[in-house]
């Protein structure tokens, strides 16, 4: 993976530091794009603001970097920045979240997760769980969304909207917690006051919001778990960070669908391919896992494809890189 003879300057516009996932992705970038590996990484933290990311791209262009890597906070609003980069002859690689553009030629490649599939797998698990445990009646759902307009929010939310319609689940409220723990807690507290015993399931679009939601439940004297008829509330989450998996093992999170933040190495391979004049795929998806401690559901099916559900263990938790 080490470059020979030439040092490449990579400008990386990161979204911010809102979650365990985000911190891990920053570490993965810094570890991979190191001086020892032949890179000069210019890391810019966008502090959750698109305008900061747009400014960073402009600075990277002024500095004449070799590559621009962008993790876009939301999907829209990138056309002019990416056009400027293109006119300057600097390839742009999008990571993690996606951009929506009329002209797809404004970036070279994208690398990340299939957020819609993650959501579909989570919903397929819930459907199977409700059938298996015979608790399918009157399912009120509190939906705690990620940053509005981000790919991770869009894919995971659309999956839930479609599944709710198909299965007759009742989404009591969809509200954003911006992928942040404190906000997850805040919105859960407010929803618990309003909907009290109608909430059976809380669908959280990332682990950090789930940690906040679980705090809110515990402070209200409610147990997170799978015994819905016994008054427990079932928490669904995404990312599968180490703490998320610990909670899954303890049953506080019923199912945690993985989202892999360690994109540094795959991104470096992609850049080396470009350096070597190879053509690269435009869209590059990761394979991801799904974890639970509930043994009756060992696989879920989405669009005729079967995906295993891993029963979380100490070993899996120990091996987690984030
Ligand atoms: O799920 C969340 C983070 O874009 C996939 O952003 C990423 C999401 C991730 O803050 O924890």
């Amino acid at each position: 993976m080490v470059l020979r003879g030439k040092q490449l300057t990579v400008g990386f516009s990161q979204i911010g530091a809102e979650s365990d996932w985000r911190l891990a992705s920053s570490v993965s970038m810094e570890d991979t794009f190191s001086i020892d590996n032949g890179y000069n990484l210019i890391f810019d933290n966008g502090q959750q603001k698109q305008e900061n990311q747009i400014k960073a791209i402009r600075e990277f262009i002024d500095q004449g970097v070799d590559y621009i890597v962008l993790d876009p906070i939301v999907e829209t609003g990138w056309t002019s920045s990416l056009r400027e980069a293109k006119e300057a002859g600097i390839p742009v690689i999008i990571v993690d979240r996606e951009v929506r553009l009329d002209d797809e030629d404004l970036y070279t490649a994208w690398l990340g997760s299939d957020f819609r599939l993650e959501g579909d797998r989570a919903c397929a698990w819930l459907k199977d769980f409700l059938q298996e445990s015979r608790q399918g009646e009157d399912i009120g759902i509190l939906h705690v969304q990620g940053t509005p307009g981000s790919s991770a929010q869009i894919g995971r939310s659309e999956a839930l909207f479609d599944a709710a319609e198909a299965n007759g689940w009742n989404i009591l409220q969809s509200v954003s917690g911006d992928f942040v723990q404190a906000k997850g807690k805040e919105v859960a507290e407010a929803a618990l006051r309003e909907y009290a015993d109608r909430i059976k399931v809380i669908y959280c679009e990332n682990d950090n919001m789930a940690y906040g939601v679980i705090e809110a439940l515990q402070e209200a004297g409610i147990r997170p778990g799978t015994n819905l008829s016994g008054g427990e509330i079932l928490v669904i989450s995404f990312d599968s960070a180490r703490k998320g998996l610990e909670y899954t093992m303890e049953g506080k999170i019923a199912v945690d669908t993985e989202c892999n933040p360690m994109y540094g190495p795959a991104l470096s391979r992609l850049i080396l391919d470009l350096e070597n004049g190879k053509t690269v795929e435009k869209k590059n998806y990761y394979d991801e896992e799904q974890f639970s401690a509930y043994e009756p559901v060992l696989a879920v099916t989405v669009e005729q494809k079967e995906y295993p559900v891993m029963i979380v263990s100490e070993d899996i938790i120990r091996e987690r890189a984030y």
Side-chain angles (χ1 to χ4, degrees):
M1 204 211 290
V2 179
L3 292 165
R4 303 262 166 245
K6 177 175 172 199
Q7 200 182 42
L8 283 180
T9 299
V10 174
F12 173 45
S13 169
Q14 173 63 299
I15 291 170
E18 73 281 5
S19 64
D20 294 1
W21 191 101
R22 185 67 48 207
L23 297 176
S25 80
S26 293
V27 170
S28 173
M29 287 295 290
E30 275 162 348
D31 285 354
T32 308
F33 291 89
S34 63
I35 302 278
D36 285 351
N37 286 343
Y39 290 105
N40 170 28
L41 178 69
I42 309 174
F43 184 106
D44 187 274
N45 178 341
Q47 317 266 10
Q48 307 296 323
K49 290 208 173 68
Q50 182 171 33
E51 65 208 66
N52 292 341
Q53 293 199 279
I54 289 174
K55 211 162 95 211
I57 294 173
R58 193 153 304 133
E59 280 164 13
F60 297 151
I61 297 171
D62 288 346
Q63 287 161 322
V65 300
D66 297 301
Y67 288 87
I68 292 174
V69 176
L70 169 67
D71 191 331
I73 180 157
V74 289
E75 291 192 344
T76 53
W78 301 103
T79 304
S80 28
S81 316
L82 298 191
R83 186 162 295 134
E84 282 172 44
K86 178 135 197 184
E87 279 162 9
I90 303 174
V92 175
I93 301 170
I94 312 288
V95 290
D96 168 30
R97 302 181 186 173
E98 298 195 54
V99 288
R100 207 178 317 148
L101 300 165
D102 290 331
D103 179 3
E104 291 275 322
D105 286 344
L106 292 182
Y107 68 96
T108 303
W110 167 85
L111 167 76
S113 306
D114 187 337
F115 303 114
R116 172 66 204 234
L117 177 62
E118 291 172 357
D120 284 338
R121 288 170 70 176
C123 292
W125 185 92
L126 179 60
K127 183 178 171 212
D128 289 358
F129 163 81
L130 292 170
Q131 242 160 37
E132 203 48 70
S133 64
R134 298 173 200 278
Q135 299 183 106
E137 304 285 293
D138 190 19
I139 294 306
I141 300 182
L142 169 63
H143 175 199
V144 184
Q145 298 180 286
T147 303
S150 68
S151 303
Q153 176 271 314
I154 295 169
R156 294 169 189 167
S157 290
E158 282 177 353
L160 178 65
F161 295 145
D162 287 351
E165 205 179 307
N167 297 299
W169 303 333
N170 178 13
I171 301 177
L172 300 164
Q173 186 185 27
S174 294
V175 55
S176 175
D178 257 327
F179 287 128
V180 176
Q181 179 160 347
K183 284 201 193 169
K185 183 174 182 199
E186 218 174 276
V187 298
E189 283 168 347
L192 285 171
R193 279 195 296 272
E194 201 170 331
Y195 302 100
D197 33 297
R198 293 174 63 199
I199 302 173
K200 298 272 192 250
V201 172
I202 306 185
Y203 182 94
C204 300
E205 291 180 359
N206 85 341
D207 276 340
N208 288 78
M209 294 192 297
Y211 309 154
V213 161
I214 288 165
E215 261 174 55
L217 290 177
Q218 288 172 333
E219 284 172 21
I222 301 166
R223 275 172 61 98
T226 49
N227 183 4
L228 308 191
S229 33
E232 294 182 347
I233 291 182
L234 186 147
V235 177
I236 289 177
S237 185
F238 296 88
D239 285 353
S240 306
R242 179 176 292 117
K243 185 169 167 186
L245 292 183
E246 282 165 4
Y247 278 15
T248 306
M249 200 158 159
E250 292 164 23
K252 291 178 186 162
I253 291 175
V255 65
D256 202 339
T257 306
E258 184 180 44
C259 184
N260 187 347
M262 312 305 282
Y263 48 64
L267 179 60
S268 170
R269 281 195 295 276
L270 203 142
I271 287 178
L272 294 194
D273 281 350
L274 291 170
E275 283 296 295
N276 290 325
K278 292 194 194 149
T279 39
V280 299
E281 293 286 334
K282 187 89 181 187
K283 299 244 173 181
N284 301 273
Y285 289 97
Y286 286 135
D287 287 338
E288 292 168 330
E289 313 267 15
Q290 187 171 40
F291 301 96
S292 177
Y294 180 79
E295 299 195 4
V297 179
L298 287 174
V300 298
T301 303
V302 174
E303 287 183 5
Q304 279 105 57
K305 197 169 167 210
E306 195 175 90
Y307 298 89
V309 178
M310 312 269 290
I311 299 304
V312 70
S313 66
E314 298 277 2
D315 283 348
I316 291 175
I317 293 174
R318 202 170 313 115
E319 280 163 20
R320 254 312 77 170
Y322 59 100

